Amino acid sequence: MINAPAKNIEPEKSAGLSSGRILVLLMLFAALLRAAAALTRPMIQLDETAYVRMAENLVNGHGLMEISGTTVTHFSPLFPLFIAGVATILQDYVLAAYVVVVVFGSLVLFPTYLLGRELAGERVGLMAAALVAVIPLLVDYSSRLYSESVYTFFLILGILFGRHMLRGCRVPCSILAGMALGLAYLANPSAIFYPVVLIALAVVIAVVNGVWRQMLKAAVIFLLTFSLYAVPYVVYLHSETGSWTFNGKSPGVADSASRGLDFGTVEWERVMLAIDEESGETVVQSIDDSVNPVAYIIAHPVEGSKNFLRQEESLYFRELPHILPLWLLPLIGLGLFAEGWTRRRAAKVGYLVLMMTPVLIILIMYAHDRFFIPFVPLVTIWVARGWSRLEVWGDETVSLSWPEDGRERARRWVPWAVGAAVLLPVLLFAVETVIRPVYPVEQREAGEYLAPLTGLEDKVMARQYTSAFYAGATAVLLPYADYEKTTEYARRKGVDYLVLGRDEIYVWRPTLEPLLEDEARHQQWELVQVLYPGSDRETLIFRLRDE
């Protein structure tokens, strides 16, 4: 048992090992790791296609138009804006999107280091940055075209500057916190939580410390700066939805979760992609877009409570190993409880806990590993502190048990041995996470086949947006309905082509099996191409005949 207070094992000071240079090296390593992971991606799919198409439409003067051809509130604008900006230089939207996620995914190390240094010391800050460089979930989504890396960078910056604002009432920190959280809000509307909490904390600090005048000035400047970024987007949401809301995301996720449905399952598609008889749209599209998920939960408290328990179970048994490697969990406990808490340290831990309370909203909606990404850098600070305590244990163990003639040399190797034990398994897990997925490249190839035949005015219907994206066309999501209703829906939507795999029909759309039979059974659809015939990747491309 270690009875002595914790002590830091500081590296020997030299010009080549300053903290700043170590941080730069870690960021370069993180960028190389994420770039290597991005090179393994043979295609983009799902939300990735929507973000890239939004960027294309912005540059081409069509505004915030996504791949389905409608103005969009579900996808936030900042990520597509960055893609559009970089694409004007690189002349390649997909490459530009990868550059954005890799750069911001690597930049997350910087505010994590600063926050860790402020809360637990310089060494812990560097350790937290090293963990962020290799955590599998962060590597994975920093090499895929999602907005989380952009959002996480600005959010951690906002949390950092927000703490400086609360501690010193300084105007520059108020401006920087407002800017960072304003940009975070434009990447993900969940960031609206943080100005509310920071203002509440400012009131508490002003009351306790009697600094009303200074705190009021800091708070007003913070809110004005944040509003410069947030208000224009709120006005845009009002123009699109007809209601004043901070969040344009559809409550479809919360609605399907309340039904006990998991996204990406046959049952989810059977229920949520069925055609609603009243609206003529799919069920997921028929849910009122003007109701944000939080309002939806408030309006359905019983369903929300039941879903909270379901999502908590899902988090514990299914998602948690993807969010943080399980062997790092003991280090959290070691970092938090290996020594007693002073009031100052309790305040630091409490601040981080408060910054993580939006996790409760996720558990009310849908516990998917992707939604926990912004909180992982905060958790790594506790993991890093546990790592530093493990070094102390190793150093004291060597001091107590190693032969005296080789003791000092052995002690110098302790940080390297402990660091390797912590980081190498995580790095290997990150590599395995990246190379594991199997991509439906036949969907991309179907789009590339259609590309010479289609343009933005043409519509491609499929279970995913991939084929429409690579065809340069507009996407229509394939409903879950029988042959007649699907054909009627396609005509109503102006569909030109249908892309569907043979196995997709057997597993995901058995109601469309007439498409696999003699052409007499599907006279309204002309089979124009078959990719990978006779294999489990066989993909059929149909053209909808004129009436």
Side-chain angles (χ1 to χ4, degrees):
M1 181 178 295
I2 300 174
N3 296 316
K7 56 186 178 185
N8 288 328
I9 304 173
E10 295 293 343
E12 294 182 12
K13 300 296 183 181
S14 70
L17 287 176
S18 67
S19 296
R21 293 187 181 186
I22 293 173
L23 180 63
V24 169
L25 289 174
L26 287 172
M27 292 171 66
L28 288 174
F29 173 74
L32 289 173
L33 182 60
R34 284 152 175 76
L39 291 173
T40 69
R41 316 289 187 189
M43 56 181 280
I44 65 173
Q45 56 185 339
L46 303 172
D47 292 0
E48 297 174 298
T49 60
Y51 283 121
V52 175
R53 183 59 59 83
M54 284 174 67
E56 292 176 354
N57 287 328
L58 281 168
V59 172
N60 293 327
H62 302 308
L64 289 175
M65 191 87 67
E66 53 115 331
I67 195 167
S68 66
T70 59
T71 53
V72 63
T73 61
H74 183 73
F75 298 103
S76 298
L78 188 63
F79 182 38
L81 282 169
F82 278 130
I83 297 172
V86 177
T88 58
I89 301 171
L90 300 181
Q91 300 299 308
D92 185 317
Y93 288 92
V94 174
L95 176 60
Y98 277 118
V99 169
V100 171
V101 295
V102 167
V103 168
F104 276 97
S106 306
L107 287 175
V108 170
L109 275 69
F110 179 63
T112 303
Y113 158 73
L114 293 177
L115 188 60
R117 183 183 68 175
E118 185 170 307
L119 296 176
E122 182 129 16
R123 189 172 183 79
V124 170
L126 288 173
M127 290 172 168
L131 285 163
V132 168
V134 298
I135 291 288
L137 184 67
L138 301 181
V139 174
D140 190 21
Y141 279 94
S142 295
S143 58
R144 295 164 66 183
L145 307 188
Y146 288 89
S147 63
E148 272 68 23
S149 58
V150 175
Y151 172 58
T152 301
F153 171 74
F154 287 114
L155 178 63
I156 304 300
L157 268 184
I159 291 172
L160 172 69
F161 290 127
R163 187 170 187 273
H164 280 285
M165 177 187 74
L166 295 174
R167 293 185 67 197
C169 305
R170 288 175 287 185
V171 170
C173 291
S174 300
I175 295 173
L176 291 171
M179 290 175 60
L181 290 177
L183 289 167
Y185 171 70
L186 293 179
N188 188 323
S190 302
I192 198 72
F193 165 84
Y194 293 92
V196 176
V197 172
L198 289 175
I199 292 301
L201 286 175
V203 171
V204 171
I205 292 172
V207 171
V208 173
N209 297 335
V211 289
W212 277 103
R213 184 176 178 180
Q214 302 94 313
M215 192 62 76
L216 178 62
K217 180 181 179 181
V220 168
I221 292 173
F222 166 70
L223 286 177
L224 287 175
T225 307
F226 176 80
S227 299
L228 288 175
Y229 294 87
V231 169
Y233 187 57
V234 171
V235 172
Y236 167 76
L237 292 177
H238 178 263
S239 69
E240 292 297 321
T241 66
S243 61
W244 290 106
T245 179
F246 69 90
N247 182 9
K249 290 186 178 294
S250 166
V253 171
D255 180 85
S256 60
S258 71
R259 303 174 190 232
L261 301 172
D262 287 332
F263 179 78
T265 62
V266 174
E267 185 63 14
W268 187 92
E269 295 201 11
R270 188 186 68 80
V271 175
M272 301 305 292
L273 296 183
I275 298 176
D276 180 70
E277 293 184 3
E278 183 176 342
S279 66
E281 300 289 346
T282 59
V283 170
V284 72
Q285 292 172 313
S286 301
I287 299 171
D288 188 1
D289 285 343
S290 66
V291 180
N292 67 63
V294 175
Y296 181 88
I297 291 165
I298 294 172
H300 302 84
V302 176
E303 291 86 346
S305 300
K306 292 179 180 177
N307 188 51
F308 179 84
L309 296 176
R310 280 195 296 267
Q311 298 307 317
E312 189 176 31
E313 180 182 9
S314 174
L315 171 65
Y316 186 79
F317 290 105
R318 188 176 63 187
E319 300 298 327
L320 186 57
H322 301 294
I323 297 169
L324 194 71
L326 295 180
W327 57 86
L328 295 181
L329 295 181
L331 293 181
I332 297 177
L334 188 61
L336 285 172
F337 307 117
E339 58 181 311
W341 289 10
T342 63
R343 291 179 61 182
R344 184 176 180 181
R345 185 173 176 223
K348 292 177 179 180
V349 172
Y351 184 73
L352 282 189
V353 170
L354 195 57
M355 295 300 106
M356 295 176 65
T357 48
V359 166
L360 297 175
I361 299 176
I362 297 174
L363 290 176
I364 295 173
M365 295 172 54
Y366 177 49
H368 187 270
D369 57 7
R370 173 184 166 193
F371 302 147
F372 292 89
I373 289 174
F375 311 110
V376 172
L378 303 180
V379 173
T380 61
I381 295 173
W382 291 332
V383 175
R385 187 169 177 83
W387 174 1
S388 70
R389 291 292 305 179
L390 197 60
E391 282 192 0
V392 172
W393 170 83
D395 182 69
E396 294 190 356
T397 299
V398 169
S399 297
L400 293 171
S401 60
W402 206 266
E404 188 172 351
D405 56 351
R407 184 179 300 164
E408 288 306 313
R409 186 164 64 176
R411 288 185 64 193
R412 286 196 294 270
W413 279 99
V414 166
W416 296 97
V418 174
V422 171
L423 292 178
L424 284 181
V426 181
L427 177 59
L428 292 174
F429 187 27
V431 173
E432 191 271 339
T433 299
V434 168
I435 65 176
R436 183 197 314 152
V438 176
Y439 287 83
V441 292
E442 60 274 10
Q443 296 288 323
R444 184 201 70 196
E445 293 176 13
E448 291 170 344
Y449 169 82
L450 289 172
L453 309 174
T454 57
L456 275 178
E457 70 281 359
D458 298 298
K459 295 184 178 180
V460 176
M461 186 164 70
R463 283 187 54 248
Q464 294 189 25
Y465 292 157
T466 302
S467 296
F469 175 80
Y470 284 99
T474 298
V476 176
L477 204 57
L478 177 67
Y480 195 108
D482 61 30
Y483 173 83
E484 288 76 16
K485 288 184 178 179
T486 298
T487 303
E488 178 186 344
Y489 180 84
R491 290 200 183 280
R492 191 165 65 250
K493 290 290 187 179
V495 168
D496 298 284
Y497 292 94
L498 167 65
V499 176
L500 200 55
R502 180 177 291 272
D503 283 356
E504 278 188 297
I505 294 175
Y506 289 138
V507 177
W508 298 91
R509 292 297 185 276
T511 54
L512 298 183
E513 286 191 9
L515 291 172
L516 300 178
E517 300 175 5
D518 187 86
E519 191 165 335
R521 294 289 309 278
H522 57 85
Q523 294 183 8
Q524 299 180 83
W525 294 95
E526 175 191 2
L527 180 63
V528 296
Q529 181 66 295
V530 179
L531 303 177
Y532 299 100
S535 73
D536 58 359
R537 296 166 60 188
E538 182 173 322
T539 300
L540 311 173
I541 303 175
F542 297 91
R543 185 180 65 84
L544 183 59
R545 289 190 171 102
D546 296 332
E547 288 186 285

